[in-house]
Amino acid sequence: MTDLKLVLNDEKINAKKVQKIEKVFKILSNIVLYAFIIVMAIIVIIPFYWMIATSLKTMEEIRASQQYFFPKVAQWKNYAEALGPNSSFKFWVYLRNTLIVGIFSTLGTLITTIFAAFAFARLNFKGKDTLFTIFLATMMIPGEMLVITNYITVARLGWVGSDITGAYLAMIVPFWVSVFYIYLLRQNFKQIPNELYYAAKVDGKSDWQYLWKVMVPIAMPILISIFILKLMGSWNSYVWPNLVANNENWRLISNGLRGAFQDTSSGMIQYNLQMAGTVVVTVPLLLLFIFFRKYIMRGVSRAGLKG
Amino acid sequence: MESKNNWKAWLYLAPTIILMLIFTIYPLINTIIISFLKHYDYTQNTFAGTSFTFDNYLLIFGKTGQYYIDGTFSYTTTFMRYALINTLIIVFVTVPASIFLALLIAVGLNSIKWFRRIFQTIFFMPYVTNAIAIGMVFAVMFQKDFGLINMIFGTNKNWIDFGASRWSAMFVLCVYIIWHALPYKILIFLSGLQGIDKQYYQAAKIDSTPKVKVFTRITIPLLSPQIAYVFITSFIGAFKEYSSVVALLNNPGPNGKLDNSLLTIVYYIYNMMDKPASMSLAAAAAVVLLLIVLFFTFIQLYVSNKKVHY
């Protein structure tokens, strides 16, 4: 009897000890976990911070042998100078070009995407599956492969180096089709129940009316996603505009930014102005992300599942 | 109704098909053709010799020596020496490193309680930024005399400025690419983790399985579809690396326009497109890139058909 009691007591102490050790271990692992997450978060944030800090410093502060994490006095005038009329970064010109190219290429893409997705999701025709497979297969082709001949094509069309309209066309027209967005919208269209289609047919609605009155409004969230992602694409596109818009005044924002604030003869860079420019280019994207997070994530996370 | 839909469907598809024929299908075929024509000149639509030749491929792989355009040396031998090697380094360093880090961060984010949403937003920030702009910020941070990195570590290393070595610039390039590649991978892993049934973890808890074992025996296998997907797409993406080099250096190397030490395959293609006379070489390099991308895409299709799981 007494023996048994002792054993029980022993186990009780053990269980308590184990619990205590487990608790300490849990706290410790939580600390390690948070430390890791925080360190990584700092690494992610530092470039953003340094960009803003540098944009608010004077050139003397930037070049000083002793660096500080904060500007002594925030030099807001750097922004006025970087965006001003005497700056080599013609922000307002680039902004106008980027918006024109972005909006028109997005509108074109939306039209082709809506039509093609409708045909694939709703209509029946010979060779539908084959055609769709071909469409999907073209996504494998790296863009660089197409750029060579597309450059020749737009050059032959007289869109390169002629005038600003030509440059706009060269930056807009080749990007009017996006197979990925067709795929995305087709999936969305397919989820709309057939009953709606038959009901519309009974009411004597044509396919055209059904598309615009029923399908497009239902798919509006995904269309907004496409619109935002495509606009962001123009904002960030560098390679193709760099090839076809070979004039100061035709450039898009990314091209303008890369070449600006550098004294061509001495190679000296005005870092504070340059960083003010990068802030101006980065902030709209972050704002777009904050306000349209839902829409952006929808497009992005779908992209992850397409494989 | 079916037959009526037939021509209607083609009408709806017409704009897409016409644009795709002009800007996707024709370029695909034409670029392959150009890659087999020597000295193809698009302004005149002429080429040297009389028929198809493998010379462009031999040239980019450095078999027949140097290639001169208008009497000046060009990048021929730089494809093997720089473009291909650099691209392979970028692929095999940045992809595993960023996937490993992203996996750790995603698992960490998935198991914390406080501030999760804030951290999630922070980790996603690099995704919605302009690659050129943030690359320029990295260039400032790694600047030799007053950059943040030298200041923090108390060093005076020339990372990427004029006179920097190829490998230090390569290091900065890889750091930047990893930094920029993290958010997308974290996002995919996180959504994968949230899809894993909690029962597995509860069962492991009852058996008091150690955390490392839970990670290697439950998390990794159940996350394998996402890991495989991210691996392949990042491989393909890393083979096309270009704008990060431009963003950091504005040139193919740290020592100005003629330094090709950080050339990548895509950078090589764009450099060769600069002059009409070297268009053929650009086409040949593009075909090589296409083959690489196709290779990885077929692996991906094969893997996703086999359903990686356990």
Side-chain angles (χ1 to χ4, degrees), chain B residues 10-58:
Chain B
W10 290 104
L11 209 61
Y12 278 110
L13 283 168
T16 305
I17 290 177
I18 291 167
L19 283 165
M20 274 179 83
L21 283 177
I22 299 172
F23 293 112
T24 309
I25 306 297
Y26 162 67
L28 176 67
I29 297 161
N30 194 48
T31 304
I32 293 173
I33 292 173
I34 292 174
S35 77
F36 289 106
L37 299 175
K38 198 167 182 179
H39 291 280
Y40 176 76
D41 183 346
Y42 73 89
T43 52
Q44 316 285 325
N45 205 9
T46 55
F47 57 95
T50 47
S51 66
F52 289 146
T53 163
F54 279 100
D55 274 10
N56 297 320
Y57 291 94
L58 295 176

Side-chain angles (χ1 to χ4, degrees), chain A residues 124-241:
Chain A
N124 285 314
F125 56 98
K126 245 188 206 154
K128 180 160 112 172
D129 292 336
T130 320
L131 190 68
F132 194 63
T133 313
I134 294 172
F135 269 43
L136 290 183
T138 61
M139 284 208 287
M140 287 188 239
I141 307 166
E144 292 70 25
M145 178 95 202
L146 311 177
V147 158
I148 296 171
T149 302
N150 281 343
Y151 180 75
I152 298 174
T153 306
V154 294
R156 286 212 179 120
L157 287 167
W159 291 349
V160 177
S162 55
D163 56 4
I164 195 160
T165 326
Y168 283 156
L169 286 171
M171 287 188 276
I172 292 169
V173 178
F175 302 99
W176 268 348
V177 168
S178 161
V179 174
F180 175 60
Y181 292 144
I182 293 175
Y183 170 82
L184 207 62
L185 192 62
R186 169 186 171 264
Q187 298 302 91
N188 207 269
F189 276 171
K190 278 202 142 184
Q191 286 166 5
I192 299 170
N194 285 337
E195 284 73 19
L196 278 178
Y197 183 62
Y198 298 130
K201 283 276 150 187
V202 170
D203 286 350
K205 292 269 190 294
S206 66
D207 280 348
W208 178 260
Q209 284 169 315
Y210 175 72
L211 170 62
W212 292 104
K213 292 267 164 68
V214 179
M215 288 183 110
V216 168
I218 289 177
M220 207 35 109
I222 208 85
L223 291 173
I224 294 173
S225 293
I226 294 173
F227 188 85
I228 292 167
L229 288 173
K230 188 86 186 169
L231 267 186
M232 283 168 71
S234 309
W235 191 268
N236 291 334
S237 74
Y238 176 83
V239 175
W240 179 256

Side-chain angles (χ1 to χ4, degrees), chain A residues 34 43-44 47-48 62 67 112 115 125 140 145 149-150 156 236 238-239 254 258 274 285 289 293 300 303-304, chain B residues 6 9 12 23 27 30-31 42 114 121 124 128-130 136-137 146 151 179 187-188 229 242 246-247 270:
Chain A
Y34 270 98
I43 291 174
V44 167
F48 293 103
I62 292 169
Q67 288 288 309
T112 60
F115 286 167
F125 56 98
M140 287 188 239
M145 178 95 202
T149 302
N150 281 343
R156 286 212 179 120
N236 291 334
Y238 176 83
V239 175
S254 301
R258 181 62 270 194
Q274 191 193 44
L285 287 168
F289 174 60
R293 186 192 163 99
V300 172
Chain B
N6 226 330
Y12 278 110
F23 293 112
N30 194 48
T31 304
Y42 73 89
W114 303 301
T121 310
F124 199 65
V128 284
T129 50
N130 185 300
M136 289 161 73
V137 178
F146 41 81
M151 173 191 128
W179 182 89
L187 180 81
I188 301 282
Y229 169 78
Y242 164 73
V246 176
Y270 288 123

Side-chain angles (χ1 to χ4, degrees), chain A residues 25-26 29-30 33-34 36-38 40-41 43-48 50-51 54 62-65 67-69 112-113 115-116 118-120 122-126 131 134-135 138 140-156 159 173-174 176-177 179 182 197-198 201 207-208 211 232 235-236 238-239 242-243 253-254 257-259 262 271 274-275 278 281-282 285-286 289 293 296-297 300-301 303-307, chain B residues 1-2 5-6 8-10 12-13 15-17 19-20 22-28 30-32 34 40 42-43 45 101 104-105 108-109 111-115 117 119-134 136-138 140-141 143 145-148 151-152 161 179 182 184 187-188 205 211 226 229 240 242-243 246-250 266 269-270 273-274 279 282-283 286-287 289-290 293-294 297-298 300-301 304:
Chain A
F25 183 75
K26 207 179 169 187
S29 70
N30 253 333
L33 187 64
Y34 270 98
F36 170 71
I37 296 272
I38 288 169
M40 290 313 290
I43 291 174
V44 167
I45 280 194
I46 268 191
F48 293 103
W50 199 244
M51 167 174 82
T54 309
I62 292 169
R63 287 181 186 279
S65 51
Q67 288 288 309
Y68 295 99
F69 269 99
T112 60
T113 305
F115 286 167
F118 176 67
F120 280 125
R122 191 65 266 175
L123 304 176
N124 285 314
F125 56 98
K126 245 188 206 154
L131 190 68
I134 294 172
F135 269 43
T138 61
M140 287 188 239
I141 307 166
E144 292 70 25
M145 178 95 202
L146 311 177
V147 158
I148 296 171
T149 302
N150 281 343
Y151 180 75
I152 298 174
T153 306
V154 294
R156 286 212 179 120
W159 291 349
V173 178
W176 268 348
V177 168
V179 174
I182 293 175
Y197 183 62
Y198 298 130
K201 283 276 150 187
D207 280 348
W208 178 260
L211 170 62
M232 283 168 71
W235 191 268
N236 291 334
Y238 176 83
V239 175
N242 203 34
L243 282 172
I253 203 114
S254 301
L257 181 66
R258 181 62 270 194
Q262 193 157 14
Y271 287 106
Q274 191 193 44
M275 287 302 110
T278 57
V281 171
T282 308
L285 287 168
L286 291 177
F289 174 60
R293 186 192 163 99
I296 293 170
M297 295 302 245
V300 172
S301 52
L305 298 173
K306 75 174 186 222
Chain B
M1 201 158 68
E2 302 282 304
N5 273 347
N6 226 330
K8 247 194 202 164
W10 290 104
Y12 278 110
L13 283 168
T16 305
I17 290 177
L19 283 165
M20 274 179 83
I22 299 172
F23 293 112
T24 309
I25 306 297
Y26 162 67
L28 176 67
N30 194 48
T31 304
I32 293 173
I34 292 174
Y40 176 76
Y42 73 89
T43 52
N45 205 9
L101 272 177
L104 284 185
I105 293 172
L109 276 179
S111 47
I112 61 172
K113 281 190 218 109
W114 303 301
F115 307 117
R117 218 181 131 76
F119 280 122
Q120 253 176 332
T121 310
I122 290 173
F123 283 116
F124 199 65
M125 266 163 61
Y127 188 81
V128 284
T129 50
N130 185 300
I132 297 288
I134 301 292
M136 289 161 73
V137 178
F138 268 74
V140 174
M141 284 168 59
Q143 214 277 346
D145 297 320
F146 41 81
L148 181 69
M151 173 191 128
I152 289 175
D161 297 303
W179 182 89
L182 277 179
Y184 181 68
L187 180 81
I188 301 282
K205 208 172 183 185
K211 274 197 170 164
Q226 279 82 11
Y229 169 78
K240 299 189 202 166
Y242 164 73
S243 51
V246 176
L248 271 183
L249 302 167
N250 207 9
V266 174
I269 295 173
Y270 288 123
M273 277 180 65
D274 249 11
M279 204 64 128
V287 172
L289 182 68
L290 173 74
V293 170
L294 283 185
T297 310
F298 283 121
Q300 185 195 1
L301 290 178
S304 60

